[in-house]
Amino acid sequence: MTAPPVAYLRADGPGGAWTRDAGPALRAGCAVVLYASAGSWSVADGPGLRVLLGREYERYRAAGHRPAARARFAASRRLVKHAAAAVLDVPADELDLARGPAGRPYLRGCDRLGLSLSHTGDLLVLALSLYGPIGADAEPLGRSGCRVLLAQRVCTAQELTDLRALPAHERGDAVLRLWTLKEAYTKALGVGTGLPFRTFGFRVEGTAAVLHDDTGEPVRPGEWTFTTHRLGTGHVVSTAYAPPPGA
């Protein structure tokens, strides 16, 4: 059976169609990716923000010397809590967001809802799954030049060979796809930078699957599902998630 698709929903601010669409999509076995501008989730400092952020309020205050980073931090946490509240049908202020040892965010007392947060510029991306870990990463397509140095730093020997076989004008987007897939996979695993990107690979073209760097064979095929999607915002988003049993 084919794994359920990833549902991409624009979520610019609390309320709107995404709040009624995200829950049913998740319960149907889909992963859900919410994307929004950070500005649409901006929130002023004050008692309300302190309650919303909870134990993360001190992290917010620590970024005080970087106003843009501070505003994005608050906006991203507001998105996470309102999204989880819409899915779980609980007040956003009652949710306690924490971070694992490698920095992966999770909701205390609600391990069944996997989530992954990514941002680039003004774009916020939040991936959600009810069936296990999920990871997501976003990059602007404007960075899709060949990026030879990046490829040499993060790609396996087979990936580099496959990239060279592509027409020159396609290599930049292919590097971005590989980069975001690897970021998404390590986020889903919860290992952060602990898994060097050159120790595992993906097919440069075709269906994505984790490949051994030495043999080129798939690693535990079927255990993970990978997707890459172009947003209308001019960004590429990749996800890695475990589909529900039997999918």
Side-chain angles (χ1 to χ4, degrees):
M1 185 185 301
T2 302
V6 176
Y8 286 83
L9 304 174
R10 182 114 196 180
D12 279 330
W18 71 269
T19 60
R20 63 174 182 267
D21 294 340
L26 285 168
R27 288 187 286 275
C30 294
V32 169
V33 173
L34 303 176
Y35 62 99
S37 66
S40 67
W41 287 93
S42 63
V43 55
D45 198 354
L49 179 60
R50 182 187 290 271
V51 171
L52 183 70
L53 294 182
R55 69 187 70 220
E56 285 209 306
Y57 185 73
E58 292 308 315
R59 290 190 64 204
Y60 165 79
R61 287 181 56 84
H65 62 292
R66 295 177 294 157
R70 185 173 179 174
R72 185 174 58 227
F73 181 90
S76 67
R77 271 50 183 181
R78 189 180 181 213
L79 168 61
V80 170
K81 290 202 172 184
H82 277 271
V87 169
L88 302 173
D89 195 25
V90 297
D93 292 349
E94 292 184 6
L95 296 171
D96 188 6
L97 186 65
R99 298 174 70 84
R104 181 170 64 182
Y106 69 94
L107 292 170
R108 294 181 186 273
C110 191
D111 294 340
R112 69 188 182 96
L113 181 63
L115 58 89
S116 179
L117 186 64
S118 180
H119 64 79
T120 177
D122 189 53
L123 180 75
L124 300 178
V125 170
L126 173 64
L128 303 166
S129 171
L130 286 175
Y131 293 94
I134 188 168
D137 187 61
E139 290 288 345
L141 286 167
R143 295 180 183 174
S144 63
C146 187
R147 306 189 75 182
V148 174
L149 293 179
L150 174 62
Q152 292 176 344
R153 182 164 61 89
V154 304
C155 291
T156 65
Q158 185 61 56
E159 286 173 330
L160 290 172
T161 297
D162 293 343
L163 284 169
R164 295 187 194 102
L166 292 177
H169 68 279
E170 295 181 9
R171 294 173 191 164
D173 283 357
V175 170
L176 276 186
R177 175 176 173 270
L178 293 173
W179 170 259
T180 54
L181 282 169
K182 293 187 180 202
E183 285 277 2
Y185 181 52
T186 55
K187 286 181 179 181
L189 290 175
V191 297
T193 58
L195 181 62
F197 283 3
R198 293 186 66 184
T199 62
F200 66 97
F202 288 90
R203 299 184 183 95
V204 170
E205 295 183 293
T207 303
V210 182
L211 307 175
H212 285 287
D213 63 321
D214 51 355
T215 67
E217 295 298 317
V219 178
R220 291 177 292 193
E223 184 173 337
W224 292 92
T225 292
F226 300 94
T227 68
T228 301
H229 182 79
R230 291 191 180 201
L231 300 178
T233 58
H235 297 81
V236 61
V237 177
S238 288
T239 64
Y241 75 105

